[in-house]
Amino acid sequence: QKPTFKQRYDEAERRRAVIMQRLAGLNERARAHPAYRRAATLLNQTFRKASVAQRLATLQAAEWLIDVLENLTPFL
């Protein structure tokens, strides 16, 4: 069964909330990195401007940046 628009919208909002918590949990060194600001922009301004279909790709990009920050943090 294909999910409705409302279900896709709600799922994107739930994923965004989880990713925002993950971003907030990064340490100070990671927060000083430019990728942190870009991830925050993706999760806020870019996410809000995107269509529901595009929001999933925006969330994936933000998750990738957070992965990079988490992997870089021990080296910063």
Side-chain angles (χ1 to χ4, degrees):
Q1 183 181 18
K2 186 176 178 182
T4 65
F5 174 83
K6 177 75 171 135
Q7 289 170 331
R8 288 184 295 150
Y9 180 88
D10 290 343
E11 178 58 28
E13 288 293 334
R14 277 191 293 276
R15 277 189 63 194
R16 178 184 172 271
V18 169
I19 298 168
M20 288 290 291
Q21 287 178 341
R22 191 172 157 206
L23 184 65
L26 293 174
N27 64 25
E28 289 302 316
R29 294 173 115 182
R31 289 176 189 224
H33 196 279
Y36 179 88
R37 288 185 293 280
R38 183 62 187 141
T41 300
L42 282 168
L43 290 170
N44 292 305
Q45 292 94 339
T46 307
F47 181 83
R48 294 289 173 220
K49 290 179 186 176
S51 69
V52 173
Q54 293 169 332
R55 286 181 175 190
L56 296 177
T58 302
L59 292 174
Q60 287 175 335
E63 285 181 310
W64 182 82
L65 276 175
I66 294 169
D67 287 342
V68 169
L69 284 171
E70 288 172 343
N71 290 329
L72 278 179
T73 301
F75 304 110
L76 296 177

